[in-house]
Amino acid sequence: MSASETVIKVVERAETGKGAGRRLRAEGKVPAVIYGHGKAAVNLSVAETEIIPVLHHTGLVKLEVEGKKTAKTAVIKDYQMNTLKARLVHVDFLEVKANEVISTMVDVVPHGTPAGAAHGGVLDQILYSVEVRGAANKLPESVIVELDQMEIGDVITCSGLALPDGVDIVGDTDQIIFSLHLPKIEAAAEDEDAEAGAGDVKDVAEEAAAE
């Protein structure tokens, strides 16, 4: 395995149910399962120290199963959290081949300061993640968007994202991710000024007609 591969050590488990899950979590472990390719699901456990640092990893992972010579290739498909206790409750792994085409959500990360910010522009981020589809070994960890060239009135849509070759957006590519605009108060003031200017022109025209 290369140094860049994400490796997670897991253990097959026979016990299932809420009681077994509580005992595992008391030991600093998390119940997990791996499924896919038409195989029967296999129950696993994984140490919190192994899974927490890579919980949001969107690419391939290698699952080294205790007592097995061959590692499993998978992606982290889903996980459940106990929001009250801020604890990880369960993890789902999907077994895949390295070149297998799958869909997943990846985070959109802004980078840089829009040029229009110097003129009062306010940046809005509408989407924080997008769904992409491609070979499992090509999927990015996140998509970084350079904002330096944005001027007031500009938008960046899904079609403007820089994705690896062979990786595509799933769904509407015209969805807006970032927009740069004037603050609402300032924009409203400009509209009022424009309306007032239009009124002045009308008054002048009416006066000229009366003469």
Side-chain angles (χ1 to χ4, degrees):
M1 296 180 191
S2 67
S4 62
E5 288 179 333
T6 298
V7 179
I8 303 174
K9 296 179 180 180
V10 297
V11 178
E12 287 191 10
R13 60 188 173 94
E15 286 189 304
T16 59
K18 292 183 178 179
R22 282 194 294 268
R23 286 191 291 275
L24 281 175
R25 286 186 283 273
E27 297 171 0
K29 301 174 184 176
V30 180
V33 65
I34 184 169
Y35 50 82
H37 291 168
K39 299 177 183 178
V42 177
N43 293 308
L44 307 169
S45 69
V46 55
E48 286 185 328
T49 53
E50 285 276 329
I51 189 63
I52 293 295
V54 297
L55 190 59
H56 300 287
H57 181 78
T58 57
L60 285 175
V61 297
K62 292 283 189 180
L63 297 185
E64 291 186 345
V65 185
E66 185 179 85
K68 305 287 185 180
K69 292 183 178 179
T70 306
K72 293 180 179 290
T73 307
V75 294
I76 299 171
K77 185 65 175 176
D78 196 12
Y79 62 88
Q80 293 80 48
M81 298 288 297
N82 182 323
T83 53
L84 293 177
K85 297 182 179 180
R87 290 289 302 275
L88 183 60
V89 175
H90 194 273
V91 181
D92 288 12
F93 295 103
L94 174 65
E95 187 170 3
V96 298
K97 297 177 182 177
N99 60 352
E100 186 172 343
V101 175
I102 62 172
S103 299
T104 191
M105 300 297 293
V106 296
D107 291 337
V108 178
V109 181
H111 183 266
T113 301
H119 306 290
V122 175
L123 181 71
D124 271 348
Q125 183 168 357
I126 294 91
L127 295 180
Y128 289 84
S129 62
V130 293
E131 187 176 7
V132 298
R133 181 174 177 82
N137 59 356
K138 298 293 184 182
L139 296 177
E141 284 294 303
S142 61
V143 182
I144 298 174
V145 181
E146 299 294 341
L147 305 177
D148 297 17
Q149 301 302 313
M150 286 190 77
E151 299 288 354
I152 294 172
D154 287 350
V155 298
I156 295 176
T157 65
C158 290
S159 62
L161 296 179
L163 298 172
D165 290 341
V167 178
D168 299 304
I169 292 290
V170 176
D172 184 5
T173 57
D174 291 329
Q175 291 184 93
I176 294 174
I177 302 174
F178 295 100
S179 69
L180 193 71
H181 56 84
L182 288 172
K184 291 182 179 179
I185 295 176
E186 187 174 337
E190 286 191 357
D191 290 341
E192 289 176 3
D193 290 342
E195 289 176 6
D200 291 341
V201 171
K202 182 178 179 183
D203 290 343
V204 170
E206 289 176 348
E207 289 176 4
E211 293 176 356

